[in-house]
């Protein structure tokens, strides 16, 4: 198989970019970094990471540093890349942006591998299902009530069967927003809430108890992701399921929460956790303890990966990259379908990419 002879880095901004906020962050733009690998035979593959406005010099530096570790590898040698990165990154630590850079390159290599073999990633890995339930995400705290209701009813119009909104803006505000969303969508649509770790245990427990009457499906990251005992307490005292995992760079938190019976849904972030193999390893660990998998953000990668595991229960949907890629994902009647083209089945449009030198 021809080796990788070039690694290029680009930056892109979503056409939907505008300031938004949750309980812990104010985000001034929706932006991405794209890693593109090319083989000696001219086959390319892309992988992207969500960056918002954070640490542009650090991100581009980490991505540039991954280049020499990728060059010369064949697209299937993602395990070799992981070993090289572990050795190279150990001094400063294998978490953080260096893990993100590794994962973006990993995803690009999988894309390239699929294109060279003429098959989508989900077929290369072996599929379990052919479609995945998907929920509409957003509901930012910075939205007015009108904007919030406009978003959730638009998701409903598009056939989504579930929506997620942000909480952590104060008890009364949170309950008002949840009640108005329930009134707007009726009893048939699932509603989830996400505090982005922005609450303490006492407030999270109080909100959970009051929100039970609104039939909230699950509560995401109610408290600090390292407070394993707090998750165990919260899960034992409320009927609302608990979801977390997007902040994790490995499976240590998942192990700790399983031991304490503090988790209902595991939410791995493909880029934070290190790429395709590590994502699947974490899903297998969750599956061994009957914990369903519902990943964070990257639906364009998560949907095909979820099709390859037995314990996947859904994917998160944003439209942020749809305006700057060449093949948007098919979503109908609350289900997302993996693309049938080789690799991941989509690429960023050239005009949307700005080279990072």
């Amino acid at each position: 198989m021809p080796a990788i002879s070039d690694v290029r880095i680009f930056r892109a901004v979503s056409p939907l970019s505008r300031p938004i906020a949750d309980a812990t962050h104010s985000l001034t733009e929706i932006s991405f970094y794209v890693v593109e690998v090319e083989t000696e035979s001219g086959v390319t593959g892309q992988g992207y990471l969500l960056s918002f406005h954070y640490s542009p010099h650090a991100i581009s530096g980490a991505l540039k540093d991954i280049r020499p570790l990728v060059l010369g590898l064949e697209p299937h040698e993602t395990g070799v890349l992981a070993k090289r990165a572990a050795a190279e990154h150990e001094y400063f630590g294998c978490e953080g942006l260096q893990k993100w850079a590794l994962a973006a390159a990993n995803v690009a290599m999988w894309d390239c591998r699929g294109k060279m073999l003429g098959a989508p990633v989900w077929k290369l890995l072996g599929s379990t299902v052919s479609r995945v339930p998907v929920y509409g995400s957003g509901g930012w705290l910075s939205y007015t009530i009108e904007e919030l209701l406009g978003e959730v009813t638009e998701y409903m119009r598009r056939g989504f069967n579930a929506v997620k909104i942000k909480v952590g803006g104060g008890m009364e505000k949170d309950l008002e927003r949840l009640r108005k969303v329930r009134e707007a969508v009726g009893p048939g649509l699932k509603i989830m809430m996400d505090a982005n770790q922005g609450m303490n245990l006492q407030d999270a427990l109080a909100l959970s108890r009051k929100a039970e009457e609104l039939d909230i499906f699950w509560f995401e990251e109610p408290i600090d992701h390292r407070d394993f005992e707090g998750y165990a307490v919260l899960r034992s005292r409320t009927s609302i399921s608990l979801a977390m995992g997007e902040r994790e760079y490995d499976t240590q938190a998942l192990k700790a929460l399983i031991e304490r019976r503090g988790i209902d849904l595991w939410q791995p972030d493909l880029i934070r956790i290190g790429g395709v193999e590590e994502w699947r390893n974490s899903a297998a660990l969750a599956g061994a303890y009957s914990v369903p998998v519902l990943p964070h953000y990257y639906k364009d990668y998560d949907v095909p990966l979820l099709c390859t595991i037995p314990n996947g229960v859904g994917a998160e949907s944003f439209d942020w990259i749809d305006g700057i890629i060449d093949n948007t994902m098919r979503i109908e009647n609350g289900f997302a379908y993996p693309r049938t083209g080789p690799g991941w089945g989509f690429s960023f449009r050239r005009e949307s990419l700005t080279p990072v030198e």
Side-chain angles (χ1 to χ4, degrees):
M1 185 175 284
I4 295 169
S5 57
D6 196 11
V7 180
R8 297 179 286 270
I9 303 166
F10 303 93
R11 190 172 184 272
V13 177
S14 173
L16 300 178
S17 188
R18 64 165 173 152
I20 49 179
D22 58 32
T24 55
H25 300 88
S26 293
L27 307 167
T28 58
E29 70 175 10
I30 302 167
S31 55
F32 319 95
Y33 283 84
V34 179
V35 173
E36 182 175 74
V37 301
E38 183 174 358
T39 69
E40 297 163 324
S41 61
V43 178
T44 62
Q46 291 181 350
Y48 88 91
L49 62 84
L50 173 65
S51 65
F52 296 119
H53 62 283
Y54 298 127
S55 305
H57 300 296
I59 295 173
S60 59
L63 291 170
K64 290 175 184 177
D65 286 344
I66 206 72
R67 274 174 168 159
L69 306 185
V70 177
L71 290 171
L73 295 178
E74 295 179 16
H76 69 277
E77 293 184 300
T78 48
V80 177
L81 174 61
K83 289 182 178 179
R84 286 183 177 182
E88 179 73 12
H89 296 163
E90 187 276 333
Y91 185 78
F92 287 106
C94 294
E95 296 186 351
L97 288 177
Q98 297 193 115
K99 194 70 166 284
W100 289 60
L102 166 64
N106 171 282
V107 171
M109 290 171 70
W110 271 98
D111 190 38
C112 189
R113 186 190 315 184
K115 290 177 180 177
M116 295 186 76
L117 296 174
V121 170
W122 56 275
K123 285 190 177 182
L124 295 179
L125 293 170
S127 60
T128 301
V129 297
S130 59
R131 64 179 188 173
V132 174
V134 66
Y135 70 88
S137 196
W140 301 92
L141 289 179
S142 52
Y143 284 177
T144 64
I145 291 294
E146 290 72 22
E147 289 173 321
L148 174 63
L149 298 183
E151 181 178 81
V152 298
T153 53
E154 175 62 14
Y155 275 132
M156 187 167 60
R157 186 196 66 77
R158 291 170 57 189
F160 285 72
N161 297 316
V163 295
K164 186 177 76 179
I165 74 168
K166 303 296 186 182
V167 294
M171 180 68 71
E172 294 308 315
K173 179 179 179 180
D174 290 341
L175 288 172
E176 179 190 16
R177 286 160 50 87
L178 289 168
R179 288 191 182 108
K180 287 187 178 295
V181 168
R182 175 54 75 201
E183 291 169 2
V185 302
L189 206 75
K190 293 177 180 176
I191 300 174
M192 293 82 79
M193 58 186 186
D194 182 1
N196 296 96
Q197 307 178 86
M199 304 182 76
N200 59 39
L201 177 59
Q202 181 179 358
D203 290 343
L205 182 57
L207 177 61
S208 295
R209 286 173 169 166
K210 289 182 179 295
E212 284 176 339
E213 66 184 37
L214 299 172
D215 192 24
I216 301 302
F217 189 37
W218 44 260
F219 193 173
E220 180 174 338
E221 285 194 326
I223 57 178
D224 189 294
H225 71 113
R226 296 160 295 192
D227 186 1
F228 306 137
E229 298 298 338
Y231 276 89
V233 170
L234 188 56
R235 186 169 181 264
S236 69
R237 297 184 184 179
T238 177
S239 64
I240 299 176
S241 296
L242 296 184
M244 70 87 71
E246 70 178 73
R247 291 292 189 275
E248 309 309 323
Y249 290 93
D250 53 38
T251 57
Q252 295 307 306
L254 176 60
K255 293 176 183 177
L257 288 168
I258 288 172
E259 290 174 357
R260 292 164 175 80
R261 301 182 183 275
I263 189 171
D264 293 289
L265 292 159
W266 171 240
Q267 297 181 298
D269 180 292
L270 176 66
I271 300 300
R272 269 200 187 92
I273 207 163
V276 171
E277 291 84 352
E278 293 304 319
W279 185 102
R280 283 168 53 82
N281 287 344
S282 81
L285 175 61
Y289 292 90
S290 301
V291 176
V293 174
L294 202 159
H296 172 246
Y297 177 69
Y298 292 94
K299 80 170 186 291
D300 296 280
Y301 305 133
D302 289 331
V303 167
L305 291 177
L306 286 163
C307 286
T308 72
I309 64 173
N311 56 323
V313 294
E316 181 173 23
S317 181
F318 286 97
D319 300 332
W320 290 345
I321 69 167
D322 287 0
I324 51 178
I325 60 174
D326 60 7
N327 183 24
T328 57
M329 180 167 281
R330 174 188 165 202
I331 297 177
E332 293 179 0
N333 299 319
F335 288 89
Y337 295 79
R339 297 172 176 88
T340 57
W344 299 112
F346 75 97
S347 296
F348 283 79
R349 298 182 184 276
R350 286 291 157 188
E351 62 270 21
S352 71
L353 299 175
T354 300
V356 175
E357 302 300 338

